Amino acid sequence: MLLQQIDDDLKTAQKEKNEVHTSALRNLKAAIKNAEIEKGKSLGEDEVLSVLAKKVKQHRDSIESFKAGGRTDLVEHEEAQMSVLQKYLPKQMDETELAAIVKSVIESTNAGVADFGKVMKEVISKVKGQADGNAISKIVKEQLK
């Protein structure tokens, strides 16, 4: 379903000659195709969301690097491409919702400071792309103190 939406939007962007949308969606489709080749079969909806989240994170990291290097032209390009991809991500959780999930995972697993990785894995599987990994990590670290 998500893949079909991406395909349809890519066709529309190509017809409208929208270079930013076309480029962003082509890069996303290439990343999805590479993941399918790596896995040896078609990706499920959750796996496509995972690839999408990785692409958004790559854009975010590039933006930070380009800002540090004073390349505002590249920052604008990356932000435009990232905004195209963010439309396909599920609505992001706010910090209080995320903190509640982290707390419940810590309580249910009796996790301690040494169980950071175990808690992260569990929380990420519960939020399914509705929160950024950095935000999850920050909250988990705060609550495991």
Side-chain angles (χ1 to χ4, degrees), residues 73-135:
D73 55 329
L74 295 175
V75 169
E76 290 170 8
H77 179 73
E78 289 292 323
E79 285 175 341
Q81 289 209 342
M82 186 174 74
S83 70
V84 170
L85 299 182
Q86 284 177 323
K87 289 187 269 185
Y88 300 100
L89 286 174
K91 181 184 173 289
Q92 299 294 292
M93 289 184 174
D94 64 15
E95 273 196 42
T96 52
E97 287 177 288
L98 189 55
I101 290 173
V102 170
K103 185 177 181 182
S104 73
V105 167
I106 291 171
E107 289 172 355
S108 70
T109 59
N110 292 323
V113 176
D115 298 320
F116 176 80
K118 186 168 92 173
V119 173
M120 281 293 294
K121 184 177 178 182
E122 184 76 24
V123 172
I124 288 171
S125 72
K126 284 187 180 232
V127 299
K128 290 187 174 133
Q130 294 179 339
D132 177 53
N134 291 336

XYZ file of all heavy atoms in Angstrom, residues 73-135:
475
model
N 23.221 26.222 0.495
C 22.579 25.733 -0.719
C 22.254 24.247 -0.604
O 21.160 23.802 -0.963
C 23.459 25.994 -1.948
C 24.864 25.406 -1.806
O 25.380 25.337 -0.669
O 25.454 25.023 -2.844
N 23.196 23.476 -0.057
C 22.975 22.039 0.112
C 22.010 21.749 1.258
O 21.262 20.775 1.206
C 24.312 21.319 0.336
C 25.280 21.372 -0.851
C 26.613 20.741 -0.484
C 24.684 20.690 -2.065
N 22.018 22.593 2.278
C 21.075 22.433 3.395
C 19.648 22.544 2.876
O 18.794 21.715 3.194
C 21.342 23.487 4.507
C 20.210 23.505 5.521
C 22.667 23.212 5.197
N 19.390 23.555 2.059
C 18.043 23.757 1.518
C 17.608 22.568 0.665
O 16.464 22.123 0.751
C 17.996 25.039 0.681
C 18.119 26.296 1.514
C 18.319 27.556 0.668
O 18.207 27.475 -0.573
O 18.591 28.601 1.268
N 18.517 22.049 -0.152
C 18.209 20.897 -1.003
C 17.859 19.671 -0.158
O 16.865 18.978 -0.427
C 19.390 20.601 -1.930
C 19.191 19.424 -2.817
N 18.343 19.451 -3.891
C 19.707 18.172 -2.772
C 18.348 18.269 -4.485
N 19.180 17.475 -3.812
N 18.671 19.396 0.857
C 18.433 18.241 1.729
C 17.117 18.388 2.504
O 16.379 17.433 2.661
C 19.593 18.046 2.715
C 20.870 17.546 2.078
C 20.787 16.123 1.561
O 20.146 15.270 2.195
O 21.376 15.864 0.494
N 16.846 19.599 2.994
C 15.601 19.827 3.733
C 14.382 19.603 2.839
O 13.384 19.037 3.273
C 15.570 21.243 4.318
C 16.468 21.403 5.523
C 16.556 22.820 6.046
O 16.219 23.773 5.304
O 16.979 22.982 7.209
N 14.477 20.040 1.579
C 13.375 19.857 0.642
C 13.129 18.371 0.385
O 11.982 17.906 0.410
C 13.663 20.585 -0.666
N 14.199 17.623 0.176
C 14.045 16.182 -0.062
C 13.529 15.473 1.186
O 12.680 14.579 1.087
C 15.373 15.578 -0.512
C 15.753 16.002 -1.902
C 16.599 14.980 -2.620
O 17.184 14.090 -2.019
N 16.654 15.105 -3.927
N 14.021 15.875 2.351
C 13.573 15.247 3.594
C 12.082 15.501 3.818
O 11.349 14.604 4.228
C 14.381 15.773 4.785
C 14.064 15.068 6.086
S 15.138 15.554 7.450
C 14.520 17.177 7.815
N 11.613 16.700 3.516
C 10.187 17.007 3.728
C 9.297 16.168 2.811
O 8.192 15.794 3.194
C 9.916 18.500 3.548
O 10.037 18.868 2.196
N 9.785 15.841 1.621
C 9.029 14.976 0.713
C 8.858 13.598 1.354
O 7.763 13.031 1.366
C 9.740 14.844 -0.661
C 9.092 13.760 -1.513
C 9.727 16.170 -1.399
N 9.929 13.062 1.906
C 9.897 11.715 2.480
C 9.119 11.659 3.793
O 8.472 10.652 4.090
C 11.323 11.201 2.697
C 12.190 11.077 1.449
C 13.560 10.522 1.812
C 11.525 10.215 0.395
N 9.165 12.729 4.575
C 8.489 12.720 5.876
C 6.983 12.560 5.749
O 6.329 12.097 6.674
C 8.821 13.992 6.659
C 10.209 13.953 7.253
C 10.581 15.224 7.973
O 10.223 16.313 7.539
N 11.314 15.089 9.062
N 6.441 12.912 4.598
C 4.993 12.768 4.399
C 4.548 11.309 4.471
O 3.392 11.030 4.758
C 4.571 13.349 3.043
C 4.640 14.863 2.980
C 4.047 15.374 1.694
C 5.140 15.478 0.664
N 4.737 16.062 -0.592
N 5.465 10.388 4.217
C 5.117 8.964 4.203
C 5.292 8.293 5.565
O 4.843 7.173 5.754
C 5.959 8.225 3.158
C 5.736 8.764 1.770
C 6.640 9.644 1.200
C 4.599 8.429 1.056
C 6.422 10.160 -0.067
C 4.378 8.940 -0.209
C 5.298 9.807 -0.762
O 5.073 10.325 -2.007
N 5.962 8.983 6.475
C 6.142 8.424 7.821
C 4.858 8.574 8.623
O 4.107 9.530 8.429
C 7.272 9.151 8.555
C 8.692 8.839 8.112
C 9.682 9.746 8.831
C 9.032 7.387 8.364
N 4.601 7.643 9.539
C 3.426 7.810 10.397
C 3.586 9.033 11.291
O 4.702 9.511 11.505
C 3.391 6.525 11.233
C 4.667 5.823 10.992
C 5.342 6.433 9.816
N 2.466 9.529 11.824
C 2.484 10.684 12.721
C 3.440 10.389 13.872
O 3.407 9.323 14.466
C 1.076 10.946 13.253
C 0.986 12.137 14.182
C -0.424 12.274 14.733
C -0.478 13.346 15.784
N 0.192 12.984 17.033
N 4.298 11.350 14.156
C 5.306 11.162 15.201
C 4.708 11.357 16.590
O 3.874 12.230 16.799
C 6.471 12.133 14.992
C 7.192 11.942 13.664
C 7.915 10.610 13.571
O 8.885 10.377 14.264
N 7.426 9.727 12.706
N 5.143 10.525 17.527
C 4.676 10.623 18.914
C 5.304 11.832 19.588
O 6.429 12.200 19.269
C 5.115 9.389 19.699
C 4.419 8.145 19.352
S 5.011 6.853 20.461
C 3.920 5.561 19.965
N 4.570 12.397 20.551
C 5.192 13.461 21.334
C 5.987 12.813 22.470
O 5.897 11.612 22.708
C 4.166 14.482 21.832
C 3.144 13.896 22.792
O 3.370 12.784 23.313
O 2.119 14.551 23.025
N 6.762 13.632 23.172
C 7.672 13.097 24.191
C 6.956 12.394 25.338
O 7.451 11.415 25.868
C 8.583 14.205 24.739
C 9.821 14.392 23.920
C 10.892 15.185 24.653
O 11.118 14.959 25.861
O 11.492 16.037 23.995
N 5.782 12.897 25.723
C 5.082 12.271 26.855
C 4.579 10.878 26.500
O 4.680 9.957 27.309
C 3.906 13.149 27.345
O 3.071 13.480 26.233
C 4.397 14.415 27.991
N 4.059 10.714 25.277
C 3.615 9.382 24.839
C 4.799 8.422 24.801
O 4.708 7.285 25.261
C 3.019 9.442 23.428
C 1.658 10.078 23.315
C 1.222 10.140 21.857
O 1.789 10.955 21.107
O 0.318 9.367 21.487
N 5.895 8.901 24.244
C 7.090 8.080 24.120
C 7.652 7.718 25.493
O 8.026 6.567 25.734
C 8.136 8.829 23.287
C 9.372 8.068 22.871
C 9.018 6.789 22.135
C 10.246 8.948 21.990
N 7.668 8.681 26.398
C 8.170 8.429 27.758
C 7.329 7.371 28.461
O 7.862 6.522 29.184
C 8.191 9.724 28.561
N 6.021 7.398 28.232
C 5.131 6.404 28.848
C 5.440 5.005 28.320
O 5.462 4.023 29.086
C 3.675 6.766 28.582
N 5.691 4.889 27.030
C 6.029 3.586 26.444
C 7.366 3.088 26.997
O 7.495 1.924 27.372
C 6.055 3.665 24.901
C 4.634 3.851 24.378
C 6.702 2.423 24.297
C 4.536 4.110 22.896
N 8.345 3.983 27.057
C 9.661 3.608 27.594
C 9.521 3.138 29.031
O 10.074 2.102 29.421
C 10.657 4.790 27.494
C 11.939 4.490 28.272
C 10.982 5.103 26.042
N 8.745 3.857 29.825
C 8.544 3.485 31.229
C 7.911 2.099 31.343
O 8.338 1.278 32.153
C 7.672 4.535 31.919
C 7.501 4.293 33.400
C 6.697 5.388 34.055
C 6.565 5.108 35.539
N 5.766 6.113 36.227
N 6.893 1.832 30.521
C 6.223 0.529 30.592
C 7.154 -0.606 30.176
O 7.124 -1.694 30.753
C 4.943 0.514 29.749
O 5.248 0.472 28.376
N 7.997 -0.358 29.184
C 8.956 -1.380 28.755
C 9.974 -1.649 29.857
O 10.290 -2.811 30.158
C 9.666 -0.961 27.440
C 10.873 -1.841 27.158
C 8.700 -0.996 26.275
N 10.470 -0.586 30.486
C 11.446 -0.757 31.573
C 10.822 -1.545 32.727
O 11.440 -2.459 33.274
C 11.983 0.614 32.054
C 12.863 1.233 30.966
C 12.757 0.479 33.361
C 13.281 2.661 31.233
N 9.574 -1.207 33.065
C 8.908 -1.912 34.159
C 8.633 -3.368 33.808
O 8.828 -4.259 34.628
C 7.604 -1.194 34.527
C 7.826 0.125 35.231
C 6.545 0.923 35.432
O 5.477 0.498 34.936
O 6.621 1.983 36.069
N 8.168 -3.626 32.592
C 7.811 -4.998 32.210
C 9.031 -5.909 32.064
O 8.927 -7.121 32.243
C 6.995 -5.012 30.916
O 7.801 -4.654 29.817
N 10.185 -5.329 31.764
C 11.390 -6.150 31.596
C 12.310 -6.078 32.809
O 13.366 -6.716 32.806
C 12.183 -5.701 30.342
O 12.550 -4.327 30.487
C 11.394 -5.914 29.072
N 11.934 -5.292 33.827
C 12.786 -5.090 35.014
C 14.198 -4.687 34.596
O 15.187 -5.219 35.095
C 12.834 -6.348 35.886
C 11.506 -6.623 36.535
O 10.792 -5.698 36.930
N 11.143 -7.899 36.625
N 14.282 -3.776 33.639
C 15.567 -3.377 33.068
C 16.341 -2.472 34.011
O 15.772 -1.651 34.730
C 15.344 -2.662 31.740
N 17.649 -2.630 33.955
C 18.557 -1.766 34.695
C 19.417 -0.984 33.711
O 19.222 -1.074 32.505
N 20.375 -0.251 34.223
C 21.234 0.592 33.394
C 21.943 -0.227 32.307
O 22.112 0.229 31.179
C 22.276 1.338 34.266
C 23.228 2.147 33.418
C 21.571 2.232 35.275
N 22.310 -1.451 32.621
C 23.042 -2.294 31.674
C 22.161 -2.812 30.535
O 22.669 -3.352 29.557
C 23.673 -3.466 32.405
N 20.845 -2.650 30.656
C 19.914 -3.196 29.665
C 19.475 -2.175 28.625
O 18.412 -2.317 28.014
C 18.682 -3.761 30.381
C 19.027 -4.902 31.323
O 19.880 -5.717 30.951
O 18.438 -4.957 32.413
N 20.285 -1.168 28.378
C 19.930 -0.106 27.435
C 19.529 -0.670 26.070
O 18.488 -0.317 25.516
C 21.106 0.871 27.290
C 20.871 1.938 26.260
C 20.110 3.052 26.550
C 21.403 1.814 24.979
C 19.885 4.035 25.599
C 21.184 2.794 24.028
C 20.426 3.897 24.338
N 20.355 -1.543 25.515
C 20.097 -2.101 24.185
C 18.804 -2.890 24.127
O 18.043 -2.795 23.157
N 18.550 -3.662 25.178
C 17.329 -4.473 25.233
C 16.091 -3.571 25.262
O 15.116 -3.816 24.548
C 17.377 -5.361 26.489
C 16.247 -6.355 26.594
C 16.527 -7.386 27.682
C 15.949 -6.923 28.991
N 16.038 -7.920 30.052
N 16.149 -2.506 26.047
C 15.031 -1.565 26.146
C 14.826 -0.849 24.810
O 13.701 -0.724 24.331
C 15.253 -0.547 27.295
C 14.182 0.525 27.293
C 15.280 -1.263 28.640
N 15.916 -0.398 24.193
C 15.830 0.299 22.902
C 15.148 -0.592 21.866
O 14.247 -0.153 21.150
C 17.221 0.689 22.397
C 17.813 1.912 23.040
S 16.947 3.436 22.646
C 17.267 3.601 20.902
N 15.573 -1.834 21.776
C 15.015 -2.766 20.790
C 13.519 -2.938 20.990
O 12.733 -2.895 20.036
C 15.738 -4.109 20.896
C 15.311 -5.124 19.869
C 16.115 -6.395 19.995
C 15.640 -7.418 18.989
N 16.362 -8.680 19.109
N 13.114 -3.110 22.232
C 11.703 -3.310 22.562
C 10.873 -2.065 22.239
O 9.785 -2.151 21.659
C 11.580 -3.666 24.042
C 10.187 -4.004 24.499
C 9.739 -5.382 24.079
O 10.591 -6.246 23.834
O 8.506 -5.586 23.994
N 11.380 -0.893 22.611
C 10.651 0.360 22.362
C 10.528 0.615 20.866
O 9.449 0.966 20.370
C 11.332 1.554 23.068
C 10.704 2.872 22.650
C 11.250 1.396 24.586
N 11.604 0.412 20.132
C 11.574 0.635 18.681
C 10.546 -0.277 18.022
O 9.815 0.146 17.123
C 12.984 0.445 18.070
C 13.868 1.622 18.481
C 12.928 0.318 16.556
C 15.339 1.464 18.137
N 10.452 -1.516 18.481
C 9.458 -2.423 17.884
C 8.030 -1.995 18.228
O 7.113 -2.216 17.448
C 9.703 -3.866 18.323
O 9.348 -4.054 19.669
N 7.858 -1.345 19.368
C 6.514 -0.894 19.758
C 6.080 0.370 19.027
O 4.913 0.518 18.691
C 6.437 -0.653 21.268
C 6.352 -1.913 22.077
C 6.097 -1.597 23.534
C 6.018 -2.890 24.307
N 4.840 -2.984 25.108
N 6.999 1.299 18.785
C 6.612 2.578 18.182
C 6.564 2.529 16.654
O 5.957 3.395 16.029
C 7.497 3.754 18.647
C 7.405 3.948 20.136
C 8.933 3.583 18.225
N 7.197 1.540 16.050
C 7.136 1.313 14.597
C 7.211 2.585 13.762
O 6.286 2.942 13.050
C 5.867 0.546 14.250
C 5.901 -0.865 14.730
C 4.713 -1.654 14.236
C 4.893 -3.086 14.647
N 3.852 -3.745 15.211
N 8.320 3.293 13.864
C 8.537 4.462 13.027
C 7.845 5.732 13.473
O 7.901 6.741 12.803
N 7.182 5.700 14.614
C 6.465 6.886 15.086
C 7.334 7.778 15.960
O 6.855 8.763 16.495
C 5.209 6.471 15.857
C 4.181 5.789 14.995
C 2.965 5.369 15.781
O 3.008 5.227 16.997
N 1.873 5.171 15.081
N 8.601 7.412 16.097
C 9.522 8.237 16.891
C 10.930 8.057 16.350
O 11.293 6.990 15.866
C 9.466 7.839 18.360
N 11.710 9.103 16.443
C 13.091 9.110 15.989
C 13.956 8.349 16.994
O 13.755 8.442 18.207
C 13.542 10.571 15.871
C 14.994 10.698 15.479
O 15.371 10.096 14.460
O 15.740 11.403 16.185
N 14.923 7.611 16.494
C 15.808 6.829 17.350
C 16.558 7.668 18.366
O 16.781 7.246 19.503
N 16.945 8.882 17.967
C 17.661 9.763 18.906
C 16.764 10.167 20.067
O 17.201 10.229 21.214
C 18.174 11.014 18.192
C 19.286 10.707 17.216
O 19.986 9.711 17.355
N 19.445 11.553 16.222
N 15.489 10.437 19.774
C 14.543 10.822 20.825
C 14.315 9.652 21.774
O 14.271 9.817 22.998
C 13.225 11.279 20.212
